[in-house]
């Protein structure tokens, strides 16, 4: 998911300042130590961990939803976070506050949905980001779990980077290149970087389950292991994508001579359910299906780990996982 404009962050909790509740958590055998988590076990969203975004601008992609801070669109129940898209006419602020004009104009959309972010609360530089989720299906659905820089150190999008761990686009819709018989069954992961549009760059990949089933049929676990100069993406414990620093860059003058920029700064995490937008509407069956909403993006838990032996770079834990010397 792309996100334009300069992000101005009032309060950022750096990696070293992660919540103390996890300070005594024991490292896993791979060396990762839990430093932050939300198991969504309560009856309402934990506002110490998340801020809902309220905006109707469409994320720079001509998406069709207004994100609201209402229980109709964001609900925690039965140990699950529910991000719910509904068909209803709604008027709200055009853009989120960090990129809003002053005054921020109003905009009206015909769909509402939910989006939560840790922006202004906590961010991380390197680590293991893992979550268990069940995306919705249907032409026009676009659920995502992704990360953006807490401060645009290298400049506005995409000079400071973007990490898309999970994007589910049009699951179950017609797909002439997909394997299997269920239609679109591939999930997307992507990195955005480079220079200002139209000179922006993207690396992406698509992954299907070994069974070729729809990812929307059940919960699955996505994992990003991120260390200095390397990222590894896994689905249900199976590595499907590895990207190294010689594949990315930033056009920012501040990145000159820095081979790992822009992915060497703290990033915050977010989850949302978009409806419509370029990526969904220009692919598969095109547009947004009339019956695609209501739709739900379900998240069981999100956990963040730090490499206990190597918190500054995280490389020791990736070497252990890979069996490197």
């Amino acid at each position: 998911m792309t996100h334009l404009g300069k992000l101005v962050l009032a309060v950022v909790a750096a990696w070293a300042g992660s919540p103390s509740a996890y300070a005594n958590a024991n490292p896993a055998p791979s060396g990762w130590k839990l430093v932050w988590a939300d198991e969504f076990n309560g009856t309402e969203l934990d506002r110490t961990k998340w801020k809902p975004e309220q905006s109707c601008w469409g994320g720079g992609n001509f998406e069709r939803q207004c994100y609201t801070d209402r229980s109709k669109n964001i609900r925690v129940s039965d140990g699950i976070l529910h991000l719910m898209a509904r068909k209803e006419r709604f008027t709200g602020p055009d853009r989120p506050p960090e990129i809003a004009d002053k005054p921020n104009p109003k905009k009206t959309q015909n769909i509402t949905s939910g989006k939560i972010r840790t922006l202004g609360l906590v961010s991380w530089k390197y680590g293991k980001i893992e979550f268990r989720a069940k995306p919705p299906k249907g032409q026009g659905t676009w659920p995502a779990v992704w990360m953006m820089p807490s401060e645009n150190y290298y400049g506005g999008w995409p000079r400071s980077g973007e990490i898309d761990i999970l994007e589910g686009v049009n699951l179950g819709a017609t797909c002439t290149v997909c394997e299997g018989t269920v239609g679109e069954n591939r999930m997307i992961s992507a990195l955005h970087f480079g220079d200002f549009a139209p000179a922006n760059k993207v690396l992406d990949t698509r992954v299907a389950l070994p069974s070729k089933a729809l990812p929307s049929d059940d919960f699955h676990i996505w994992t990003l292991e991120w260390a200095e100069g390397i990222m590894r993406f896994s689905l249900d414990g199976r590595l499907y994508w590895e990207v190294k620093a010689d594949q990315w860059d930033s056009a920012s003058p501040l990145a000159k001579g820095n081979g790992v920029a822009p992915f060497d700064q703290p990033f915050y995490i977010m989850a949302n359910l978009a409806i419509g937008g370029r990526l969904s509407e220009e692919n598969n069956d095109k547009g947004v299906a009339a019956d695609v909403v209501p739709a739900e993006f379900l998240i069981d838990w999100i956990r963040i780990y730090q490499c206990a032996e190597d918190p500054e770079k995280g490389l020791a834990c990736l070497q252990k996982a890979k069996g490197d010397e």
Side-chain angles (χ1 to χ4, degrees):
M1 309 276 287
T2 57
H3 188 75
L4 308 177
K6 183 176 181 181
L7 301 178
V8 180
L9 190 58
V11 182
V12 175
W15 185 258
S18 297
S20 59
Y22 306 102
N24 297 320
N26 293 323
S30 61
W32 295 112
K33 183 176 183 179
L34 186 69
V35 295
W36 186 95
D38 197 338
E39 305 292 329
F40 301 112
N41 286 332
T43 57
E44 59 184 31
L45 188 70
D46 188 342
R47 301 298 176 118
T48 69
K49 296 179 178 178
W50 303 102
K51 290 182 180 179
E53 179 178 315
Q54 299 179 73
S55 72
C56 298
W57 71 304
N61 303 295
F62 300 105
E63 298 157 16
R64 301 195 183 199
Q65 76 286 326
C66 277
Y67 290 124
T68 84
D69 186 3
R70 306 179 303 163
S71 60
K72 292 176 67 174
N73 301 114
I74 302 172
R75 187 178 82 239
V76 175
S77 62
D78 302 319
I80 301 291
L81 168 68
H82 302 251
L83 299 177
M84 300 171 288
R86 300 179 180 278
K87 188 173 183 179
E88 58 176 327
R89 191 168 178 84
F90 187 89
T91 300
D94 181 33
R95 293 177 179 243
E98 71 276 4
I99 57 169
D101 293 331
K102 294 183 180 180
N104 193 5
K106 298 290 186 180
K107 185 173 181 177
T108 300
Q109 298 271 32
N110 292 317
I111 293 172
T112 62
S113 193
K115 178 177 183 179
I116 60 172
R117 312 186 291 176
T118 66
L119 176 62
L121 298 172
V122 64
S123 60
W124 304 273
K125 175 185 172 181
Y126 306 139
K128 177 179 176 180
I129 298 92
E130 193 163 64
F131 53 90
R132 184 173 185 263
K134 181 181 179 183
K137 68 177 181 179
Q139 176 66 38
T141 54
W142 188 356
V145 177
W146 51 302
M147 303 183 78
M148 288 287 288
S150 58
E151 295 184 71
N152 277 347
Y153 179 78
Y154 295 109
W157 187 91
R159 285 190 172 188
S160 291
E162 173 183 330
I163 305 169
D164 302 330
I165 306 172
L166 173 160
E167 292 184 279
V169 180
N170 303 335
L171 292 176
T174 303
C175 178
T176 58
V177 298
C178 294
E179 297 181 10
T181 60
V182 295
E184 182 60 73
N185 58 0
R186 303 166 299 168
M187 301 297 294
I188 302 170
S189 296
L191 300 179
H192 295 263
F193 53 89
D195 205 353
F196 303 128
N200 54 301
K201 302 176 184 178
V202 60
L203 289 173
D204 64 6
T205 192
R206 285 162 173 75
V207 59
L209 297 167
S211 66
K212 311 306 178 189
L214 285 176
S216 53
D217 286 346
D218 204 350
F219 283 87
H220 298 278
I221 296 175
W222 280 263
T223 306
L224 165 64
E225 293 176 298
W226 169 33
E228 184 181 73
I230 186 170
M231 296 188 197
R232 290 180 182 148
F233 296 77
S234 300
L235 176 56
D236 292 335
R238 181 173 63 96
L239 179 69
Y240 63 87
W241 196 33
E242 180 176 282
V243 189
K244 294 185 177 181
D246 60 1
Q247 297 171 262
W248 69 64
D249 61 73
S250 174
S252 170
L254 293 174
K256 188 175 181 179
N258 180 353
V260 297
F263 299 111
D264 63 341
Q265 300 295 317
F267 278 60
Y268 67 93
I269 194 168
M270 63 192 118
N272 63 280
L273 174 54
I275 300 295
R278 290 191 187 98
L279 188 58
S280 63
E281 296 193 51
E282 294 175 2
N283 290 284
N284 301 105
D285 294 320
K286 312 294 185 182
V288 175
D291 60 351
V292 78
V293 289
E296 282 191 303
F297 182 24
L298 307 180
I299 301 178
D300 187 7
W301 46 260
I302 300 176
R303 299 167 185 163
I304 312 292
Y305 300 81
Q306 176 186 24
C307 186
E309 292 181 31
D310 185 15
E312 293 301 315
K313 296 185 176 181
L315 290 168
C317 291
L318 268 71
Q319 290 167 353
K320 281 187 176 183
K322 195 80 172 180
D324 299 334
E325 294 296 331

